[in-house]
Amino acid sequence: AYVSWDDFSDQASAEEIAGFVRAGGQVAREAGLVEPGYRLLANIGGHGHQEVPHLHVHVFGGRQMGAMLPR
């Protein structure tokens, strides 16, 4: 029902936001990613390379990710 994180954070109910955050944690737990760690990524808009026009996050884990930004 939401186009992006911006749309979701502005329009969603508190219950929807809590449920979405909890779902991300549940996916990570079920995949065994809590330790040693994982990354959640939401692409928003053209500069964020959002290719699918609906709210979603990507869950990355299972290996060392490296830095998000060059130092």
Side-chain angles (χ1 to χ4, degrees), residues 57-71:
V57 295
H58 303 265
V59 181
F60 297 92
R63 65 177 178 82
Q64 181 64 43
M65 294 284 110
M68 286 284 296
L69 300 173
R71 296 186 188 264

Side-chain angles (χ1 to χ4, degrees), residues 20-46:
F20 190 79
V21 171
R22 288 181 189 275
Q26 180 178 348
V27 168
R29 283 189 299 280
E30 288 178 2
L33 298 175
V34 173
E35 289 298 330
Y38 60 98
R39 180 176 293 163
L40 295 177
L41 175 68
N43 301 321
I44 296 110

Side-chain angles (χ1 to χ4, degrees), residues 3-33:
V3 175
S4 68
W5 191 264
D6 179 61
D7 178 38
F8 180 66
S9 65
D10 186 49
Q11 300 295 321
S13 68
E15 292 80 16
E16 288 174 306
I17 292 170
F20 190 79
V21 171
R22 288 181 189 275
Q26 180 178 348
V27 168
R29 283 189 299 280
E30 288 178 2
L33 298 175

